[in-house]
Amino acid sequence: MPLLRIIDGADKGRVFEIAEDRVTLGREPENAICLPDVKASRVHAELARKEGRWTLKDLGSSNGTWSEDGRIDSAPLADGATFRIGRTWLRFESKAPATASELASVGGETVVGLDRTHTSGLLQPAGGDRVSAYLALLHHIVLQSNGARGRDELFDILDDISAEALEGDRVAVFLPAADGWSLWPPHEKRLRARWGAVPFARTLLEEIRTRREPLLVALPPTARNATPEADFAPSQSMVQAGVISAMAAPLRLGDEVQALLYVDRVSGAKAFSRTDLEFLAAVANQLAVQLSITQKVAQLTAEVERLAVAPRRQAVQLVGSDPALQAVHAFVARAAPTHAPVLILGESGTGKELVARAVHQQSKRADKPLQVVNCAAIAENLVESTLFGHVKGAFTGADETRPGVFELADGATLFLDEVGELPMATQAKLLRALEQGEVQRVGDGGLRKVDVRVIAATNRDLAAEAAAGRFREDLYHRLNVLCVTLPPLRERPADIEALIEYFLAEAARRLGQPAKRLTPEARTLLLRYPWPGNVRQLRNLLERASVLAAGEAIQPGDLPPEVTAQSATIAVEAPMATLASVEKAHILRVLERCGGNKKQAADVLAIDRSTLYAKLKQYGQ
């Protein structure tokens, strides 16, 4: 009988027997293999056997399923194959050990069948001893948060663990703004898609801002006043919107509120209790401690590197954990060992040169320097000379013979930035250099052999340029052997936090000063800005702010006007008539027609499966 073994991450050593031809993996207890990983989707992936062969398939998860070679959509599983879900590594073993001694010899601790027994039972405390269940869950959250690498992962812990324990319909992280609260960007998109314009508890948010302590609002189904456990009665707009209960707890570091944890219930009749609020406050306190540690470690690391007498040269870093950036990491790992040309596409400021340097550093040519040419910065009459060289007297001003960058890059890598700006005549010679490995100096009749790996980049749509006759089609196809498109920063907002900390530390090293930190209000402005200049704009802005900031903290006033002018607050009123009954009937009808297949029903409804699961839970299905 095949086994699936957790070899690294939470529950390391746990082993599952696979007795069925199809099993699912994910965070939901309904999965045959339940994983205690906050980065796992509710139903993340499946293992299926057909004609004696096993296959691993990702089920549209948010963070992807990964092997050592890159992201997996669907892949065969051989004996000993390993893959990663979140921070959990698993190994597939086609044959189970026959004896306990065999199991011990391969590192197994426990073998379980598909009984769905797991610590995820802690996520749904019920019964009379709810306080004990919350204490056990809080211990679980502490263990999870100890491994978090930043604010985003800490906030994910709230969303993925404590939310299920509290049975809240909406769980949100609010960031402080100058004149109100701002939703944490990843939550905003998710909540808007699921709940539309249903308002948040405005009175609660305003009171929290003033009192800076955990507060509870509750509305029993049979009365229009607050329960004895609640801090105050709900507002009229809250009642009209159907929000029956809400609570929130601030994350405080000293006198600063870094964020606000908010949970409410939009359906049903069960209000939150004071015990629920105390648990939320305990979670907020734990996350605040971890935030403080994370920030202090980042500052100390930056200070140590700044004070180092001879800082070592660091490898190129592509900062961020967004799936789109992980795909770029996987591309670099696959493209680097080859000699094929690489084409890097993307908006200005997305880091095309950084990716080119990463490819070069991981290639077999890394022992030689990367030659860089900005094609847009060269005068048109000097482009050929720059690329291919010239002999003395070839043109006015050619006082001596000089080799071009192709010859200088012989045996190494040449990065042609903004390759779309090359003149058509030069493009023909570039094509020959790529095809034949030969260059000809201006004014010279002889050909010179070169061994150059070319990496090209542009912010233009080269396919459209070729179709319009503004770029040679044959050259485009020759460059487009290995191609990657870099995502703009606005499409990976969860990476902004990591980039902020990285660039603040980098600015401290360049300026020779202690690393500055952002006030919560300044951080909120940066998280909500659309960044038309992408990563380059963020880096330059933080360096500027590090210079202008008078104290150790960067204030909103230290940021440029285009950032501070952005509206950072979120409306919390705007009541809306509910269509819950119509929605419920439609979803259940579609689910029935799909024979109970939730994946198929989610596809028909054009919503994410996690959204469908949440709605079914809301309807008590």
Side-chain angles (χ1 to χ4, degrees):
M1 182 180 297
L3 298 180
L4 193 63
R5 187 187 308 274
I6 298 179
I7 58 176
D8 196 15
D11 270 13
K12 179 181 178 181
R14 192 175 179 86
V15 183
F16 298 90
E17 293 180 343
I18 306 175
E20 304 171 19
D21 286 339
R22 179 186 179 274
V23 296
T24 59
L25 302 81
R27 194 163 37 81
E28 282 283 346
E30 69 182 35
N31 291 285
I33 299 174
C34 185
L35 301 176
D37 194 311
V38 297
K39 291 296 184 181
S41 294
R42 299 178 187 276
V43 182
H44 195 104
E46 72 171 14
L47 294 175
R49 175 167 52 190
K50 186 176 182 181
E51 298 178 354
R53 297 182 180 180
W54 285 93
T55 301
L56 170 66
K57 181 180 180 181
D58 185 88
L59 297 178
S61 63
S62 300
N63 295 312
T65 304
W66 300 81
S67 72
E68 294 180 349
D69 296 325
R71 189 162 183 164
I72 298 172
D73 292 322
S74 180
L77 279 181
D79 183 44
T82 60
F83 60 94
R84 175 175 62 84
I85 291 178
R87 291 191 290 269
T88 303
W89 278 94
L90 303 103
R91 181 171 68 230
F92 176 76
E93 299 171 7
S94 60
K95 184 179 179 181
T99 66
S101 60
E102 288 181 23
L103 176 62
S105 69
V106 292
E109 295 176 3
T110 56
V111 177
V112 297
L114 302 184
D115 56 1
R116 304 179 185 180
T117 302
H118 199 274
T119 53
S120 60
L122 292 173
L123 304 184
Q124 298 175 340
D129 199 4
R130 191 172 182 84
V131 174
S132 297
Y134 273 157
L135 287 174
L137 177 58
L138 183 61
H139 174 68
H140 188 59
I141 291 174
V142 170
L143 294 178
Q144 290 282 333
S145 63
N146 285 338
R149 292 168 292 183
R151 289 163 55 105
D152 288 344
E153 289 192 16
L154 288 171
F155 292 160
D156 277 344
I157 289 171
L158 166 79
D159 194 29
D160 292 335
I161 298 180
S162 61
E164 296 183 17
L166 292 166
E167 298 176 346
D169 289 320
R170 292 189 301 178
V171 181
V173 174
F174 283 91
L175 304 176
D179 53 351
W181 295 101
S182 172
L183 264 176
W184 181 46
H187 272 173
E188 181 173 10
K189 183 177 180 181
R190 191 182 313 164
L191 292 172
R192 291 297 188 199
R194 182 179 301 177
W195 297 100
V198 174
F200 293 93
R202 176 184 180 184
T203 306
L204 176 63
L205 293 175
E206 290 178 347
E207 284 291 322
I208 286 277
R209 189 167 184 84
T210 302
R211 295 164 61 170
R212 304 158 71 87
E213 62 184 25
L215 295 174
L216 169 65
V217 178
L219 179 69
T222 58
R224 290 193 174 273
N225 57 352
T227 66
E229 288 191 328
D231 291 292
F232 50 85
S235 65
Q236 187 63 31
S237 62
M238 181 177 167
V239 175
Q240 291 175 350
V243 180
I244 65 166
S245 186
M247 58 181 177
L251 274 68
R252 293 181 57 177
L253 297 180
D255 293 330
E256 288 184 343
V257 174
Q258 296 287 323
L260 177 72
L261 307 187
Y262 172 99
V263 186
D264 69 12
R265 289 174 179 163
V266 185
S267 59
K270 184 180 179 182
F272 291 119
S273 68
R274 180 62 56 177
T275 300
D276 296 330
L277 179 64
E278 290 171 353
F279 171 70
L280 184 67
V283 174
N285 290 336
Q286 172 61 26
L287 298 191
V289 170
Q290 292 298 331
L291 275 180
S292 177
I293 293 173
T294 300
Q295 292 181 5
K296 288 179 180 178
V297 168
Q299 289 177 331
L300 289 173
T301 300
E303 188 69 1
V304 168
E305 292 182 359
R306 183 181 71 85
L307 296 174
V309 177
R312 62 182 177 85
R313 183 184 177 189
Q314 295 182 342
V316 170
Q317 284 187 272
L318 302 178
V319 179
S321 58
D322 186 89
L325 192 66
Q326 293 300 319
V328 175
H329 276 286
F331 172 86
V332 170
R334 292 180 178 180
T338 74
H339 299 288
V342 174
L343 179 60
I344 307 172
L345 306 176
E347 296 179 9
S348 178
T350 50
K352 295 187 289 294
E353 182 172 343
L354 199 65
V355 172
R357 291 187 180 278
V359 171
H360 173 67
Q361 278 191 1
Q362 296 181 36
S363 73
K364 299 175 182 178
R365 302 168 181 252
D367 57 330
K368 295 186 178 181
L370 174 71
Q371 299 293 329
V372 179
V373 176
N374 185 345
C375 300
I378 309 173
E380 186 170 344
N381 61 331
L382 296 178
V383 173
E384 287 190 23
S385 172
T386 301
L387 293 179
F388 309 117
H390 64 265
V391 297
K392 183 177 180 179
F395 51 85
T396 303
D399 299 328
E400 58 182 347
T401 297
R402 289 187 179 178
V405 291
F406 261 91
E407 291 183 59
L408 296 176
D410 189 23
T413 307
L414 172 61
F415 175 51
L416 299 177
D417 197 11
E418 301 302 341
V419 70
E421 305 293 334
L422 285 176
M424 292 293 285
T426 307
Q427 292 178 27
K429 292 190 175 183
L430 175 59
L431 178 63
R432 179 174 181 83
L434 291 171
E435 293 280 8
Q436 306 298 330
E438 296 175 341
V439 295
Q440 184 177 30
R441 293 178 179 177
V442 177
D444 188 2
L447 295 174
R448 299 171 185 272
K449 281 295 216 182
V450 290
D451 173 21
V452 177
R453 201 245 181 111
V454 172
I455 302 176
T458 180
N459 57 16
R460 293 189 178 188
D461 184 344
L462 279 193
E465 294 290 299
R470 293 187 292 270
F471 195 86
R472 289 184 64 103
E473 187 172 1
D474 49 4
L475 177 58
Y476 166 66
H477 291 305
R478 188 69 189 96
L479 292 173
N480 192 32
V481 176
L482 299 173
C483 181
V484 63
T485 300
L486 305 190
L489 188 54
R490 63 181 174 275
E491 292 182 6
R492 50 187 187 106
D495 284 346
I496 296 177
E497 284 279 5
L499 288 166
I500 286 173
E501 301 303 333
Y502 180 82
F503 289 142
L504 284 176
E506 186 183 67
R509 289 194 296 272
R510 275 203 304 272
L511 299 172
Q513 65 181 29
K516 299 293 177 73
R517 65 178 181 86
L518 289 165
T519 64
E521 291 77 12
R523 186 180 294 272
T524 298
L525 289 171
L526 297 186
L527 290 175
R528 299 196 63 82
Y529 187 63
W531 299 110
N534 294 296
V535 179
R536 181 189 293 122
Q537 182 185 10
L538 175 60
R539 176 185 180 181
N540 294 340
L541 181 149
L542 288 172
E543 183 171 3
R544 172 186 182 274
S546 296
V547 173
L548 296 179
E552 64 176 16
I554 297 173
Q555 306 285 343
D558 299 321
L559 304 178
E562 64 267 21
V563 175
T564 55
Q566 293 288 318
S567 174
T569 57
I570 180 168
V572 293
E573 21 190 6
M576 169 184 103
T578 178
L579 295 175
S581 59
V582 177
E583 179 186 68
K584 175 180 178 180
H586 179 62
I587 288 178
L588 294 180
R589 185 166 57 251
V590 171
L591 188 62
E592 181 180 0
R593 291 191 177 183
C594 293
N597 187 315
K598 295 178 183 178
K599 180 180 183 301
Q600 185 178 351
D603 292 339
V604 172
L605 292 165
I607 60 176
D608 186 74
R609 282 193 301 282
S610 62
T611 303
L612 176 59
Y613 294 147
K615 289 185 178 294
L616 292 175
K617 181 179 178 182
Q618 173 186 338
Y619 303 145
Q621 300 295 317

